[in-house]
């Protein structure tokens, strides 16, 4: 129903913001990551939104980036994951870290988030592990094809995502048609 709200940020805390637009102050619950990305109070801001409608409430959720909102929407579509837990997950890890945890089937990473227990972590992984992609199309964080396989292999060997991507990009700069094995070497 609402895609975004643009106006003056009149209040900002770790878990909520108020954006005044057209003389109306809109209160939005936000993940911690959005709070870090949004400007200071008194500044103009555009906040992406998702409206949660329940029998007893209507609540606007705000996001600083499209990938956060997309992941939130995906999470609330899972069994046993409501808006509050989805916000906790987004506050505890970036969408890229979440995608990596799902790819690695790392329930331990999800369990570090307040409110996510063993059963919930395993259920989230089970429901999402077969998905083609966790992040929206156009995300440049992870390469595709042979490069993606090489990055995954390097990460399995203990490199961090950024380091693995950097090394694969350097290897591809020398030979864009390199095989997975050549990229790993």
């Amino acid at each position: 129903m609402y895609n975004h709200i643009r106006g003056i940020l009149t209040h900002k805390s770790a878990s909520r913001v108020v954006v005044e637009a057209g003389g109306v102050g809109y209160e939005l619950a936000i993940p911690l990551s959005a709070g870090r990305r949004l400007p200071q109070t008194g500044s103009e801001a555009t906040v992406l939104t998702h409206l949660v409608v329940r029998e007893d409430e209507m609540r606007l959720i705000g996001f600083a980036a499209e990938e956060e909102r997309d992941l939130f929407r995906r999470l609330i579509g899972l069994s046993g994951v409501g808006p509050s837990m989805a916000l906790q997950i987004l506050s505890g890890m970036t969408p890229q870290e979440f995608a990596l945890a799902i790819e690695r089937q790392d329930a331990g990473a999800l369990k570090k988030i307040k409110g996510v227990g063993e059963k919930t972590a395993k259920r989230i992984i089970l429901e999402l592990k077969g998905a083609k992609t966790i992040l929206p199309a156009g995300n440049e964080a992870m390469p595709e094809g042979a490069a993606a396989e090489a990055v995954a292999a390097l990460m399995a060997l203990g490199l961090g995502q950024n380091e693995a991507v950097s090394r694969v990009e350097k290897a591809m700069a020398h030979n864009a048609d390199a095989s997975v094995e050549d990229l790993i070497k």
Side-chain angles (χ1 to χ4, degrees), residues 2-185:
Y2 301 106
N3 181 61
H4 67 276
I5 296 174
R6 182 175 51 227
I8 302 299
L9 203 60
T10 61
H11 174 81
K12 180 177 164 185
S13 70
S15 61
R16 71 181 191 94
V17 294
V18 176
V19 179
E20 185 174 326
V24 177
Y26 295 92
E27 181 177 351
L28 300 101
I30 58 170
L32 292 175
S33 55
R36 288 189 293 267
R37 289 176 152 180
L38 291 172
Q40 297 301 315
T41 57
S43 302
E44 184 170 319
T46 298
V47 182
L48 302 174
T49 60
H50 179 87
L51 177 64
V52 175
V53 179
R54 297 278 186 240
E55 188 175 297
D56 59 343
E57 77 172 328
M58 291 176 58
R59 189 166 111 177
L60 276 172
I61 311 295
F63 307 93
E66 190 69 45
E67 63 195 20
E68 292 174 337
R69 180 171 63 181
D70 288 345
L71 180 55
F72 175 85
R73 288 176 171 167
R74 187 134 198 199
L75 286 167
I76 62 173
L78 301 176
S79 61
V81 179
S84 295
M85 184 177 291
L87 280 173
Q88 286 286 41
I89 292 170
L90 283 168
S91 292
M93 57 181 28
T94 67
Q96 291 80 11
E97 290 169 337
F98 179 83
L100 187 58
I102 298 302
E103 182 182 315
R104 290 183 171 178
Q105 299 184 28
D106 185 0
L110 296 177
K111 287 186 344 186
K112 291 178 183 175
I113 297 167
K114 181 182 175 190
V116 179
E118 181 81 25
K119 284 183 178 179
T120 303
K122 287 182 177 180
R123 186 174 55 249
I124 290 170
I125 290 170
L126 180 65
E127 290 189 40
L128 291 177
K129 73 177 179 181
K132 292 283 184 207
T133 181
I134 304 299
L135 299 176
N139 179 7
E140 312 305 329
M142 289 292 286
E144 296 179 351
E149 288 182 47
V151 168
L154 290 172
M155 289 171 61
L157 293 171
L159 291 179
Q161 178 181 344
N162 291 339
E163 179 67 18
V165 169
S166 174
R167 289 184 183 195
V168 168
E169 285 174 348
K170 286 179 186 175
M172 289 189 72
H174 295 289
N175 182 2
D177 297 325
S179 68
V180 175
E181 294 81 15
D182 290 337
L183 290 173
I184 293 169
K185 288 179 187 174

